[in-house]
Amino acid sequence: MKGASKPTRRPHEVFSLVCSAAALVVLLFVGTTVATIAVSGITHFHEAVSSDEVMFSLRMSVATSTISTTICLLLALPAGYALTHVRFPGRRAMEVLMELTLSLPYIVLGFALLVMFSSPAGKALAHAGFSVVFQPAGIVFAQMIVNLPFSLRMVRTAMADVNPRMEFVARTLGASPFDTFRTVTLPLCRNAVISAFVLTWARGMGEFGATLMLVGVTRMRTETLPGSIYLSISTGNTDTAMATAMIMLLVSAATLVLANVLNRPSHATRVGGDA
């Protein structure tokens, strides 16, 4: 028909195209980075996994991250419950203070720990046999100061979303606060707690700034995987650095797959959702 104007693209279609283009940019940026690590690291990967120093740093990272993550969750679970279920003066201020370090550079947190453990009280602990500064135990503390606020925030957010009616019914049936926490609150937060553990562990594996400031990077003593990469780069051995980075990439991929598998809804949950 003459004079009829061509149909214009709908606004929501334009918005979808813009969002898709942004997603493509993100994919290209992240994908290029991952591809660079994989392509550059695969050539010398066998040398890295055969190196005693790299394997030492891998074991150190796994051990310290597992210990620090376990401590973080053991503290975050009751703390998160208190911040969401217990009323007491100054709770809001406590929430802000506990999460304040999330916005601070990690090297600043490590420096604060260095000052704390270099104080007379810290020196007294060292004389008593509990050394932290420039010791492997300091790696755990460095990872904790970085990851404890993160895990607490994840746990607190999950517990705040729990339906209070479920807990109220449990209490009216005679369950104690601990039984309610164990049989109602925790199961309802299961996926969030699992995600908190896996992500905290992965963050611990990659932590470097606070660790560098508190314990330094001493070969075969306080050397973690990021520290091993740092030492390789500082000595001009970029091939080994990229191969070590590929090990970290594989560990990160494994933790992501594990988190997705563990967070998969159970058969009962799927049936309940379909009902």
Side-chain angles (χ1 to χ4, degrees), residues 53-127:
E53 183 177 342
V54 174
M55 288 298 99
F56 173 88
S57 66
L58 175 60
R59 291 191 297 270
M60 179 64 74
S61 292
V62 171
T64 55
S65 184
T66 301
I67 294 172
S68 65
T69 300
T70 301
I71 297 174
C72 284
L73 264 294
L74 288 177
L75 294 173
L77 287 172
Y81 182 85
L83 292 175
T84 55
H85 290 73
V86 181
R87 296 185 179 275
F88 54 89
R91 188 179 68 173
R92 295 298 182 187
M94 185 179 294
E95 291 178 2
V96 174
L97 183 61
M98 287 181 174
E99 296 182 358
L100 182 61
T101 54
L102 285 172
S103 59
L104 290 176
Y106 296 160
I107 195 168
V108 173
L109 299 178
F111 179 66
L113 288 179
L114 179 62
V115 172
M116 286 171 52
F117 287 106
S118 298
S119 65
K123 293 178 180 178
L125 287 175
H127 286 305

Side-chain angles (χ1 to χ4, degrees), residues 44 47 228-229 231-244:
H44 300 273
E47 298 176 13
S228 180
I229 296 173
L231 290 176
S232 296
I233 293 175
S234 63
T235 57
N237 194 352
T238 57
D239 293 334
T240 301
M242 290 304 295
T244 307

Side-chain angles (χ1 to χ4, degrees), residues 4-257:
S5 59
K6 295 182 180 180
T8 58
R9 193 177 297 274
R10 297 178 181 179
H12 73 270
E13 293 179 350
V14 175
F15 179 73
S16 298
L17 287 174
V18 172
C19 292
S20 300
L24 182 60
V25 171
V26 173
L27 176 63
L28 289 175
F29 182 68
V30 176
T32 302
T33 304
V34 173
T36 300
I37 297 174
V39 172
S40 301
I42 190 66
T43 306
H44 300 273
F45 183 73
H46 182 266
E47 298 176 13
V49 297
S50 302
S51 169
D52 293 337
E53 183 177 342
V54 174
M55 288 298 99
F56 173 88
S57 66
L58 175 60
R59 291 191 297 270
M60 179 64 74
S61 292
V62 171
T64 55
S65 184
T66 301
I67 294 172
S68 65
T69 300
T70 301
I71 297 174
C72 284
L73 264 294
L74 288 177
L75 294 173
L77 287 172
Y81 182 85
L83 292 175
T84 55
H85 290 73
V86 181
R87 296 185 179 275
F88 54 89
R91 188 179 68 173
R92 295 298 182 187
M94 185 179 294
E95 291 178 2
V96 174
L97 183 61
M98 287 181 174
E99 296 182 358
L100 182 61
T101 54
L102 285 172
S103 59
L104 290 176
Y106 296 160
I107 195 168
V108 173
L109 299 178
F111 179 66
L113 288 179
L114 179 62
V115 172
M116 286 171 52
F117 287 106
S118 298
S119 65
K123 293 178 180 178
L125 287 175
H127 286 305
F130 188 71
S131 299
V132 173
V133 179
F134 303 125
Q135 300 294 329
I139 301 174
V140 175
F141 281 89
Q143 293 171 351
M144 284 179 57
I145 194 61
V146 168
N147 289 330
L148 184 55
F150 172 78
S151 57
L152 175 60
R153 184 168 190 171
M154 291 192 67
V155 170
R156 183 174 65 83
T157 301
M159 289 187 176
D161 291 337
V162 172
N163 189 343
R165 294 183 179 180
M166 303 289 289
E167 298 172 318
F168 175 76
V169 170
R171 288 193 297 268
T172 57
L173 294 176
S176 65
F178 175 72
D179 290 334
T180 303
F181 174 78
R182 179 177 57 86
T183 61
V184 178
T185 308
L186 274 184
L188 291 175
C189 299
R190 171 183 173 272
N191 287 353
V193 171
I194 291 173
S195 296
F197 186 91
V198 173
L199 293 177
T200 302
W201 187 85
R203 282 166 56 94
M205 288 286 292
E207 204 293 308
F208 180 63
T211 302
L212 177 65
M213 182 59 66
L214 182 60
V215 304
V217 183
T218 304
R219 292 187 185 274
M220 304 291 285
R221 181 171 175 80
T222 60
E223 185 178 1
T224 59
L225 276 177
S228 180
I229 296 173
Y230 173 79
L231 290 176
S232 296
I233 293 175
S234 63
T235 57
N237 194 352
T238 57
D239 293 334
T240 301
M242 290 304 295
T244 307
M246 187 174 179
I247 295 177
M248 294 196 67
L249 178 64
L250 293 176
V251 171
S252 298
T255 55
L256 180 62
V257 172

